[in-house]
Amino acid sequence: MKALMQDRPLLISSLIEHARHCHPGAEIVSRTAEGPMHRCTYSDVHRRSKQLAKALQVLGVRNGDRVATLAWNGYRHLELYYGVSGMGAVLHTINPRLYPEQIVYIANHAEDAYLFFDIGFAALVERLAPALTSVRGFVAMTDRAHMPALALPSLLCYEDLVGAQDSHYEWPLLDENTASSLCYTSGTTGNPKGVLYSHRSTVLHSYAACAADGLAVSAAESALLVVPMFHVNAWGMPYAGAMCGAKLVMPGPALDGKSIYELMRTEGVTLALGVPTVWLTLFNHVDTAGLDPKKDLKLDRVVIGGSAAPRAMCARFESEFGARAVHAWGMTEMSPLGTVCNFLPKHAGMTTDERLDVLARQGRPVFGVEMRITDDEGRDLPRDGKAAGHLMVRGPWITAGYFKGEGGQILDADGYFDTGDVATIDADGYMQITDRAKDVIKSGGEWISSIEIENAAVGHPAVAEAAVIGVAHPKWQERPLLIVLKKPGKQASRDELLAFLDGKIAKWCIPDDVAFVDELPHTATGKLQKLKLREMFKDYRTRST
């Protein structure tokens, strides 16, 4: 027997429609690429995203076309989130911090039709444009007065484009499984792979973010999105914000500690989200300026993701800011929310140290995420907080495959996705990552591929073999250490090798230091024993430390 419920599709356009009707005056505050602060409301974003959708139609953008962005967090980027997906096209956010060759690969693989960019990336776009084979036109996300002088074909001005249209537009009634946005993930071997989200998966993910046992986002929040909108759609916050009517505070390109603190103070920020590296810069500013966060700020919660939340960081937010650190975990393939480390009633009355012990874990899966750990043969392991195994996940906002079939079949027979992490799960459902199955390095919330660095390093005439591992760093959590076995009779210094890598990999991927060894450990099949190397260098401190 079928139920007698209305069948309405879950669409991203319904989120901004809801915000327009129920939270029309809730603010969107942005620090712009041009410099000044900008204030608008969900009602404004609704109107202008419809104007944008009409403008895209005029440009010939059709259902399924990919529209790329190279942009920081701001109101224009938010309009693209709704205008592009709402009309049936696919929003493709590109990480501008990637090495230029990776950006070109990603844009061409996605077959982007148009590229929207902040004016701070104008020189980068001009340099890359000749290699972007599918891009028909470029749009500078600014007004006519700030248009950059670029030798680009079909260069358009965002404000001219939007201003030429009215807002009389009806969002199409799409199938909820229609593709809505595209993010590429890197850090594993091979080229970056695209994760293609749907309207349905995005709306369901937004429910999880707003849930009390999720991120507990509500209309009462003033939420600072330090996490970039090109990092898994800012962890879904642009959508969750519209769902619940939260005030959104966008920092633009100014991610230094002073700028973040000023936004927290002036905008009454209650919830802030970002990677540990950013919070370290905030701490440095507080120390340097001798500030009193408890007196100045209204901060209630800080969501820490991207890499593990350091214990000392959680403790400092609690003691000096009067704010609760919320450890969250996920990945691009998961939209990204997987677990959130909230407390249970049994934790009431705990000491500070005991609470910090709980926060060391990545947290409990939110409803919608099924999680298990398995051994090498795929057999389930006990949830006892001790047995460690491959972390497997499935759910309605978790990828079923990569864009264009890259990587082949990525789910097991039960529909679970292998995260590549090794973890434990306890009887209460708390998950804790203990190791990585793959040898990528997490630095300041960014993935760094050890293989990419190794392949570049062995191109030096003095290098016989190279291995790269992550070593602890007080600011970036991890930084790559290049371990080199030199060819007999050949010489090379640390500075020479690092200079050799410059230009071959992204600057932020260049190792902080080089260690020379007489022998590298290998398995019986000839593979480098990274675990042994990590043990050998566990107490190593790079020169930059």
Side-chain angles (χ1 to χ4, degrees):
M1 178 185 291
K2 288 190 175 181
L4 297 174
M5 294 290 103
Q6 295 183 19
D7 185 13
R8 298 290 297 171
L10 302 176
L11 300 177
I12 286 173
S13 57
S14 68
L15 296 173
I16 197 63
E17 285 292 331
H18 171 75
R20 169 220 182 183
H21 287 295
C22 299
H23 307 282
E27 280 191 302
I28 312 295
V29 181
S30 309
R31 178 177 279 115
T32 64
E34 296 86 357
M37 298 299 296
H38 179 275
R39 294 179 183 274
C40 64
T41 64
Y42 281 113
S43 181
D44 296 324
V45 172
H46 169 267
R47 171 177 49 82
R48 282 169 55 90
S49 62
K50 283 194 167 186
Q51 291 174 255
L52 174 63
K54 291 185 73 171
L56 290 170
Q57 285 186 328
V58 172
L59 291 176
V61 174
R62 298 293 179 257
N63 283 13
D65 284 353
R66 272 74 70 196
V67 177
T69 65
L70 276 170
W72 298 107
N73 296 9
Y75 72 100
R76 293 186 180 110
H77 208 172
L78 188 64
E79 291 163 4
L80 281 156
Y81 265 57
Y82 287 101
V84 173
S85 299
M87 69 169 292
V90 178
L91 180 73
H92 176 206
T93 56
I94 301 177
N95 185 346
R97 295 169 175 164
L98 293 174
Y99 195 59
E101 289 182 358
Q102 288 180 305
I103 294 175
V104 169
Y105 172 83
I106 288 170
N108 289 340
H109 187 269
E111 298 178 85
D112 293 324
Y114 281 87
L115 174 60
F116 287 69
F117 63 94
D118 273 343
I119 55 176
F121 300 121
L124 173 64
V125 172
E126 185 176 43
R127 189 164 73 250
L128 299 183
L132 303 179
T133 57
S134 62
V135 176
R136 303 199 297 268
F138 301 85
V139 183
M141 295 166 64
T142 189
D143 55 23
R144 178 55 58 181
H146 294 89
M147 279 294 288
L150 300 176
L152 282 177
S154 306
L155 178 61
L156 301 169
C157 171
Y158 184 92
E159 290 300 330
D160 289 353
L161 193 67
V162 171
Q165 306 297 326
D166 60 39
S167 59
H168 299 302
Y169 177 83
E170 292 295 325
W171 299 115
L173 198 63
L174 306 167
D175 183 307
E176 65 180 17
N177 290 303
T178 299
S180 62
S181 61
L182 177 65
C183 291
Y184 277 74
T185 180
S186 58
T188 57
T189 57
N191 289 316
K193 299 177 180 64
V195 180
L196 191 61
Y197 310 111
S198 70
H199 286 259
R200 178 177 185 269
S201 70
T202 301
V203 173
L204 290 175
H205 183 271
S206 301
Y207 277 117
C210 293
D213 277 336
L215 300 180
V217 187
S218 75
E221 303 288 5
S222 174
L224 175 63
L225 275 59
V226 184
V227 53
M229 293 173 77
F230 53 76
H231 269 187
V232 207
N233 296 332
W235 299 349
M237 280 298 296
Y239 307 114
M243 176 175 278
C244 69
K247 173 182 176 180
L248 298 182
V249 182
M250 312 281 209
L255 299 177
D256 59 285
K258 180 181 179 181
S259 298
I260 291 171
Y261 193 89
E262 288 177 353
L263 280 181
M264 286 181 167
R265 179 175 53 80
T266 59
E267 301 306 325
V269 168
T270 57
L271 171 66
L273 306 94
V275 300
T277 303
V278 175
W279 304 134
L280 288 173
T281 66
L282 177 67
F283 290 167
N284 289 338
H285 173 65
V286 169
D287 292 340
T288 302
L291 301 172
D292 184 352
K294 279 188 177 179
K295 179 181 178 181
D296 294 342
L297 308 180
K298 297 180 179 179
L299 194 62
D300 176 64
R301 300 184 321 287
V302 179
V303 178
I304 304 174
S307 56
R311 184 187 183 91
M313 179 174 291
C314 297
R316 185 166 184 183
F317 271 124
E318 182 171 322
S319 63
E320 295 186 26
F321 288 70
R324 178 166 62 91
V326 180
H327 198 178
W329 170 86
M331 55 198 309
T332 304
E333 290 88 343
M334 298 175 68
S335 298
L337 197 58
T339 63
V340 181
C341 198
N342 289 312
F343 294 113
L344 294 172
K346 65 187 288 184
H347 299 130
M350 276 188 166
T351 65
T352 298
D353 281 344
E354 288 170 336
R355 286 198 305 273
L356 292 173
D357 287 341
V358 175
L359 281 176
R361 308 168 199 169
Q362 276 63 40
R364 290 155 38 89
V366 294
F367 176 78
V369 176
E370 297 178 70
M371 191 172 286
R372 70 182 184 185
I373 50 173
T374 65
D375 62 17
D376 290 340
E377 283 70 47
R379 294 174 299 218
D380 284 354
L381 294 174
R383 294 170 175 251
D384 58 7
K386 299 176 182 178
H390 298 282
L391 181 60
M392 313 291 289
V393 294
R394 70 180 180 187
W397 58 78
I398 297 171
T399 189
Y402 292 111
F403 187 49
K404 295 186 176 180
E406 298 289 340
Q409 173 58 251
I410 63 172
L411 304 183
D412 69 10
D414 295 322
Y416 279 87
F417 172 75
D418 187 344
T419 65
D421 287 316
V422 175
T424 63
I425 302 176
D426 70 14
D428 290 319
Y430 284 94
M431 183 272 291
Q432 184 166 11
I433 294 172
T434 60
D435 202 351
R436 298 188 185 102
K438 297 176 182 177
D439 296 315
V440 291
I441 298 159
K442 209 90 175 268
S443 181
E446 298 278 0
W447 286 108
I448 296 178
S449 171
S450 59
I451 292 176
E452 182 185 21
I453 304 173
E454 290 161 0
N455 289 343
V458 295
H460 190 282
V463 176
E465 194 174 5
V468 174
I469 60 171
V471 293
H473 191 281
K475 179 178 180 181
W476 303 108
Q477 278 67 64
E478 277 190 342
R479 288 296 300 158
L481 169 68
L482 175 60
I483 306 168
V484 170
L485 175 66
K486 290 182 288 189
K487 294 178 180 177
K490 297 288 185 178
Q491 296 299 320
S493 67
R494 167 193 182 271
D495 293 344
E496 179 184 350
L497 287 174
L498 296 183
F500 176 78
L501 294 176
D502 191 14
K504 296 179 176 63
I505 56 176
K507 285 190 178 296
W508 52 269
C509 293
I510 293 177
D512 283 7
D513 211 349
V514 180
F516 296 94
V517 294
D518 295 325
E519 184 180 40
L520 284 170
H522 294 82
T523 66
T525 57
K527 294 181 180 179
L528 284 167
Q529 291 183 306
K530 293 289 187 73
L531 286 175
K532 188 169 183 179
L533 284 173
R534 282 193 281 269
E535 178 63 26
M536 290 168 57
F537 288 90
K538 65 181 180 180
D539 297 322
Y540 193 90
R541 293 295 179 266
T542 66
R543 292 193 191 181
S544 65
T545 304

